[in-house]
Amino acid sequence: MDLISSLITSEALKRSNFAPDCTYGRYVQIYGEDAYVAFATPKDLLVNLARLLVRSPATLRVIPCKLPDGYRSHDLPEASLSFPLRLEVLKEAISSFEIDLSEIATTNHDKEAVLVPLTSLISEVNGTNVDETLQSLAVVFGLEVARFTDGVRLEYLGLEVARRVDGINAVVVGSSERDRQARELMYLSGYDVREEIGKSLSQLKVNRSSFRALHPHALFFRDRWMRVLVTEHPDIVGFQSVRALEIGSLDETTPRCYGIGESLDGSSVLLCFASGPDIVAPFESLLLLQVLRCSSKERFYPTKISFITQRQDVTEAFRTILKRSSQDWEIVSVSERWFDLPEKRNLC
């Protein structure tokens, strides 16, 4: 018998002598009003909870079944999250959904884990936390400044061009770790930062804007690119203003992209920019919204979540999950050709 089926069934048989009423993949089995959900990490538990919300119309009591430490499977789903997540805070993340989550049995390691407070993972760019060198480079080359928890990045249409890590004086150029390492090998005695940024931009400006060529420079971080456009033209999604909100570490390659928007009625809204179908975004957005409500950084904290994504990425599963939440939310879908908007406006 499969390991996961054995783990779930052994718990379920304590309550029933019959086969499960329903099985969703290898990780979710339902017996009456109880749903047994197997997981290895909090991240993949969120994915399976999202599957449960999509597939089961009824409100169920969820019994999480922790897999053995170190368990790995090629088909075990894991979500992409922008900040650390402990099992104890899962109840906060799903508090508005139709899920009754029972107590989770955690190991001593889980209980004693020391994680950075979520409020310290939220950063905004202002004149006091970006040094003059980076500010001048951003002005000279027309780059965006992205402040993270442990450093600052300079970006072109959401794609990294250069960075400086807190505590290190040097500015390093490159759009990826390999790119930065290649420069270190090429210029053992150092290089001129402005000259290298100029070289990088001459190529990026061609590749970044060309969707037809499907170049990696055009495909990476489209959500951050979309945020740049919306920040410059907030009216296209119905807002008066939009400012970036950064989550996570400078070295995190795939943090989800957020912003704070002021709607036409003056209310504050948490904006989640999504690239591709993302069934875990509602959970993380709700958790972030709770953090902002309790944070002194936001004088007027957001009361609603707005998911901004391409029309093709608004799947039925995504809609179903949101419909089962009591949180105030909306989906703002943009055209698949959203990146052409500035050029079209300039022609008018």
Side-chain angles (χ1 to χ4, degrees), residues 183-239:
R183 277 187 173 80
E184 291 179 2
L185 295 174
M186 290 172 60
Y187 305 103
L188 296 178
S189 59
Y191 53 82
D192 185 290
V193 172
R194 293 199 175 206
E195 182 179 344
E196 288 303 306
I197 289 180
K199 291 179 181 178
S200 294
L201 280 177
S202 65
Q203 190 65 41
L204 288 178
K205 287 182 178 180
V206 175
N207 297 334
R208 188 63 167 157
S209 301
S210 177
F211 271 59
R212 291 184 298 274
L214 296 180
H215 192 282
H217 286 159
L219 300 177
F220 292 156
F221 304 113
R222 289 191 181 184
D223 50 350
R224 300 184 70 82
W225 183 354
M226 188 185 299
R227 186 176 65 180
V228 172
L229 175 62
V230 170
T231 301
E232 295 176 350
H233 307 280
D235 57 298
I236 66 175
V237 292
F239 288 90

Side-chain angles (χ1 to χ4, degrees), residues 323-342:
K323 287 177 181 178
R324 299 189 66 171
S325 170
S326 59
Q327 170 62 44
D328 189 11
W329 55 268
E330 67 178 358
I331 299 176
V332 179
S333 60
V334 298
S335 167
E336 283 71 18
R337 301 292 298 181
W338 54 266
F339 50 89
D340 282 341
L341 182 62

Side-chain angles (χ1 to χ4, degrees), residues 34-100:
D34 293 341
Y36 292 81
V37 180
F39 71 100
T41 69
K43 292 183 179 182
D44 49 64
L45 176 56
L46 279 183
V47 175
N48 286 325
L49 289 177
R51 289 178 170 178
L52 184 63
L53 283 171
V54 171
R55 300 289 296 277
S56 175
T59 301
L60 300 169
R61 187 171 75 99
V62 175
I63 295 89
C65 303
K66 181 73 165 62
L67 293 169
D69 292 338
Y71 177 84
R72 291 291 180 270
S73 175
H74 68 279
D75 65 344
L76 183 66
E78 183 165 308
S80 172
L81 293 176
S82 298
F83 43 73
L85 180 63
R86 289 181 294 179
L87 295 177
E88 302 88 79
V89 301
L90 270 179
K91 288 190 176 182
E92 298 180 49
I94 66 171
S95 59
S96 77
F97 293 95
E98 299 174 356
I99 293 179
D100 177 15

Side-chain angles (χ1 to χ4, degrees), residues 231-293:
T231 301
E232 295 176 350
H233 307 280
D235 57 298
I236 66 175
V237 292
F239 288 90
Q240 295 187 52
S241 64
V242 173
R243 53 192 170 91
L245 187 69
E246 299 295 0
I247 305 295
S249 168
L250 181 72
D251 293 315
E252 172 60 58
T253 57
T254 57
R256 197 166 277 107
C257 190
Y258 289 101
I260 299 292
E262 182 183 354
S263 61
L264 297 178
D265 61 4
S267 61
S268 182
V269 181
L270 175 62
L271 309 182
C272 177
F273 296 85
S275 178
D278 190 349
I279 61 175
V280 180
F283 292 99
E284 183 183 275
S285 298
L286 277 169
L287 185 57
L288 178 58
L289 187 64
Q290 292 173 359
V291 172
L292 292 173
R293 286 173 176 172

